[in-house]
Amino acid sequence: VAEGRGDRVAIHFEGEPGDTRTLTYNDLLREVSRAANALSALGVSTGDRVVIYLPMIPEAVIAMLACARLGAPHSVVFGGFSADALRSRIADAEAKVVITADGGFRRGAPSALKPAVDEALEERDGVASPVEHVLVVRRTGQETTIVEGRDVWWHDALDSADVTHVPVWVEAEHPLFILYTSGTTGKPKGILHTTGGYLTQTAYTHKYVFDLKAESDVYWCTADIGWVTGHSYVTYGPLINGATQVIYEGTPDSPHQGRWWEIIEKYKVTILYTAPTAIRTCMKWGEDIPAKFDLTSLRVLGSVGEPINPEAWMWYRRVIGGDRTPIVDTWWQTETGAIMISPLPGVTAAKPGSAQVPLPGIVADVVDDEFRSVPDGGGGYLVLSEPWPAMLRGIWGDLERFKDTYWSRFPGIYFAGDGAKKDDDGDIWLLGRVDDVMNVSGHRLSTTEIESALVSHDAVAEAAVVGATDETTGQAVVAFVILRSDHAEALGTSDEDEIVQILRNHVGKEIGPIAKPKRILVVAELPKTRSGKIMRRLLRDVAENRAVGDATTLADSSVMDLIAKGLSK
Ligand code: 7RM
């Protein structure tokens, strides 16, 4: 703004019901300044923690930036999480203020948020909540309880706040935020990020990985702010770079399955950053849906969150990218804070399914159990062997767990927890979490490779593979597949036994007989987290005939019932 770019649009907001708002950088600075003043009036000062529990509306970004202006670390909790999940995150961070909304719009209806906050703040086992105040954004207009002396409407607090605010200057190592991420076991880890290095790397990667031309591009990252991707590539990276971006509140199929493509046509989006799960869902719906919209504005496509199957990559490139656009498959984690491994558009000759090369400045390797770098063509564990600016600085309040989780497997070297292989050119292919790797008769098999083989069949939209205990082979491959709507044509049959046989043979042909799933179960949905990652742990429970374990972080809690019901048929 100080450099005269205040009139540039920062945010094109599209609400699920179709309401819109445009915020320029001038508008954004004013709103963030007022919010910072409002928070300070509620007693928030540098170092205090603020929990943000909001839908995908501009206030989510404004709230994060207002905290950053005060040097008050934020902890964003997904709007879809329960009161209990919210309570434990508030307690762990000892948050002083919660910023929430009456509700948000999802699948055509208002969905309340504030009642979960009220429940999370109730005293339990004689322990009072550390929260002193709740700021409440009015979004849906639904009936909302306001607790006298504790709760304040956002609009009231901002209306009376000054429109200018002097930011609190902090050291580079001052905490910027905590973000809770679920580990494989135990309670969620509060990943801690600081200011200088994190902001430098998010800005740098956002500019170069997406080839951003801030004056002319319209950028859209579909991630929710409750996920690290929303922190680094909605709030911080794009706004530091002066980008114009789209923020959309709702789901891709509301009110129709072409909503995303309609938004791209409407705002002439040039850069789209989304997750493989969304791409596979659109493949399942059929390519005639995006075909109805003008997507020619797109010039760079990005993918994040999981390995993208080569088949989904090809579809993304052909159907969404019109066979013109480069695709960047970006590997990174909540812990790394910013993109680490990715092709660069116009620089790297792409290989569908591979994240390929560490970005300039990043040192990644694939090593074996003895920490020996594997030769090209070999597989093992992904490690980061030199520090990087946006690396996590710890787990909030738990130094031992921090050392244990990331630094104990290979002393002094960061262990990412992912399996990977190097191809003959030394390019990196991600193979899934090491906890998910299967061992069948002594052969190590990757979930990703078998899933990609299944998805490469015309009849299959999505696949999830797990290893189930097996008396003879140690573990056996069990696959869950979702068929495409037109699968009967592709297969020439709709008989389930025949379909299973065809798909088993297909995997045998693609990878080898050892990888042939012992069982293939046709399902309508797969259990996924809110950021679209398949929860294989729950599928393992099903495959091993156990009661399904903790499913509180599922995006849709009815999915496991559906799967269990389908299997008992
Ligand atoms: C950004 C994010 C991190 C885990 C990571 C991987 C998987 C993410 C890719 C990927 C293959 C990719 N943060 N992952 N991106 N696997 N290719 N391009 O997702 O903390 O939520 O998850 O996600 O397993 O370790 S996260």
Side-chain angles (χ1 to χ4, degrees):
V1 170
E3 286 172 10
R5 284 172 290 172
D7 289 332
R8 184 180 297 168
V9 173
I11 297 171
H12 287 296
F13 171 68
E14 175 93 9
E16 200 190 74
D19 58 318
T20 60
R21 263 168 81 188
T22 306
L23 284 106
T24 62
Y25 276 87
N26 275 327
D27 297 333
L28 193 57
L29 175 60
R30 189 189 60 237
E31 293 309 301
V32 172
S33 299
R34 292 162 80 195
N37 284 321
L39 284 172
S40 200
L42 289 177
V44 175
S45 50
T46 308
D48 289 342
R49 274 82 58 202
V50 175
V51 161
I52 298 176
Y53 185 64
L54 283 170
M56 264 317 267
I57 55 177
E59 284 78 2
V61 172
I62 294 167
M64 291 167 82
L65 294 177
C67 290
R69 249 185 125 78
L70 294 171
H74 53 69
S75 164
V76 180
V77 178
F78 245 131
F81 281 171
S82 65
D84 273 347
L86 182 60
R87 171 192 291 274
S88 65
R89 286 157 176 78
I90 288 172
D92 191 74
E94 295 172 272
K96 197 167 181 181
V97 164
V98 174
I99 306 177
T100 188
D102 48 359
F105 291 98
R106 243 190 134 67
R107 297 194 195 286
S111 153
L113 276 179
K114 179 65 167 41
V117 176
D118 293 335
E119 192 186 325
L121 299 194
E122 276 165 22
E123 181 179 309
R124 185 179 286 179
D125 304 326
V127 182
S129 168
V131 171
E132 293 168 16
H133 291 289
V134 181
L135 256 180
V136 191
V137 176
R138 184 179 276 153
R139 167 67 184 140
T140 57
Q142 61 204 120
E143 194 74 53
T144 302
T145 332
I146 293 291
V147 177
E148 214 26 71
R150 187 194 72 184
D151 303 351
V152 186
W153 283 108
W154 170 275
H155 54 263
D156 287 339
L158 265 71
D159 277 351
S160 53
D162 196 340
V163 296
T164 60
H165 177 264
V166 181
V168 176
W169 293 93
V170 296
E171 295 288 331
E173 286 304 308
H174 186 79
L176 180 63
F177 66 85
I178 305 165
L179 181 60
Y180 288 86
T181 173
S182 46
T184 34
T185 51
K187 63 170 193 164
K189 304 179 285 231
I191 303 299
L192 175 66
H193 280 287
T194 56
T195 308
Y198 172 84
L199 295 177
T200 303
Q201 196 178 341
T202 52
Y204 158 73
T205 51
H206 179 255
K207 183 163 161 45
Y208 289 100
V209 172
F210 299 107
D211 181 38
L212 180 79
K213 306 278 184 281
E215 322 72 49
S216 51
D217 275 317
V218 179
Y219 164 86
W220 182 21
C221 167
T222 63
D224 191 281
I225 48 141
W227 184 22
V228 70
T229 307
H231 285 60
S232 304
Y233 298 105
V234 175
T235 299
Y236 291 109
L239 293 176
I240 291 172
N241 289 333
T244 294
Q245 70 175 317
V246 170
I247 291 182
Y248 169 57
E249 178 184 28
T251 55
D253 54 351
S254 212
H256 58 78
Q257 292 177 337
R259 185 70 189 270
W260 276 15
W261 320 121
E262 187 177 70
I263 291 173
I264 289 172
E265 178 179 283
K266 176 173 173 184
Y267 295 103
K268 300 198 169 44
V269 171
T270 58
I271 305 171
L272 176 68
Y273 191 29
T274 192
T277 174
I279 298 160
R280 290 189 304 259
T281 301
C282 294
M283 285 170 76
K284 181 173 63 180
W285 291 340
E287 62 183 82
D288 49 316
I289 293 170
K292 290 188 204 118
F293 300 90
D294 179 4
L295 306 180
T296 52
S297 55
L298 289 170
R299 64 176 195 88
V300 178
L301 302 177
S303 171
V304 58
E306 283 180 290
I308 178 167
N309 324 103
E311 192 70 18
W313 194 105
M314 296 301 284
W315 191 92
Y316 195 25
R317 157 115 181 157
R318 181 175 58 81
V319 179
I320 307 305
D323 256 335
R324 298 179 319 275
T325 58
I327 294 181
V328 288
D329 175 3
T330 64
W331 180 89
W332 59 294
Q333 307 177 298
T334 306
E335 293 86 343
T336 69
I339 299 171
M340 302 292 282
I341 304 178
S342 173
L344 291 175
V347 176
T348 318
K351 289 180 187 171
S354 170
Q356 300 191 276
V357 275
L359 293 181
I362 302 302
V363 186
D365 200 0
V366 180
V367 300
D368 66 14
D369 285 305
E370 264 81 64
F371 190 53
R372 284 180 301 235
S373 180
V374 304
D376 288 351
Y381 307 102
L382 183 70
V383 294
L384 300 167
S385 20
E386 295 289 339
W388 63 99
M391 68 196 296
L392 77 165
R393 300 301 200 264
I395 293 176
W396 185 259
D398 202 343
L399 181 62
E400 283 315 307
R401 194 173 178 199
F402 174 56
K403 291 199 264 186
D404 217 58
T405 312
Y406 306 106
W407 306 100
S408 63
R409 180 110 180 208
F410 304 113
I413 300 295
Y414 178 86
F415 172 52
D418 283 354
K421 69 176 184 196
K422 289 186 209 164
D423 67 14
D424 293 337
D425 304 322
D427 281 335
I428 295 173
W429 295 69
L430 278 305
L431 298 176
R433 302 292 297 167
V434 288
D435 320 297
D436 292 333
V437 167
M438 298 161 291
N439 196 319
V440 179
S441 308
H443 297 268
R444 288 166 63 83
L445 297 172
S446 126
T447 49
T448 304
E449 284 182 316
I450 303 178
E451 287 162 7
S452 289
L454 286 162
V455 174
S456 76
H457 195 285
D458 284 345
V460 179
E462 283 220 66
V465 164
V466 298
T469 311
D470 186 274
E471 277 178 13
T472 39
T473 55
Q475 276 189 314
V477 178
V478 178
F480 296 76
V481 298
I482 301 180
L483 300 176
R484 290 207 209 180
S485 48
D486 58 357
H487 70 268
E489 273 161 57
L491 288 165
T493 176
S494 48
D495 178 83
E496 204 161 304
D497 291 339
E498 275 181 61
I499 293 177
V500 164
Q501 213 36 55
I502 294 169
L503 294 179
R504 288 189 70 233
N505 291 338
H506 178 71
V507 174
K509 189 167 66 55
E510 292 286 307
I511 304 180
I514 187 78
K516 270 191 184 180
K518 184 169 183 190
R519 291 169 73 198
I520 296 185
L521 307 161
V522 176
V523 293
E525 288 296 341
L526 289 170
K528 288 184 194 149
T529 64
R530 288 246 150 184
S531 67
K533 294 195 207 315
I534 297 167
M535 292 183 73
R536 293 185 183 72
R537 172 172 62 79
L538 301 180
L539 293 174
R540 245 179 334 253
D541 291 340
V542 171
E544 296 181 338
N545 303 313
R546 262 196 309 275
V548 171
D550 185 88
T552 47
T553 55
L554 272 185
D556 175 356
S557 53
S558 63
V559 166
M560 286 316 294
D561 295 340
L562 257 177
I563 292 176
K565 229 184 267 156
L567 297 186
S568 62
K569 257 198 269 159

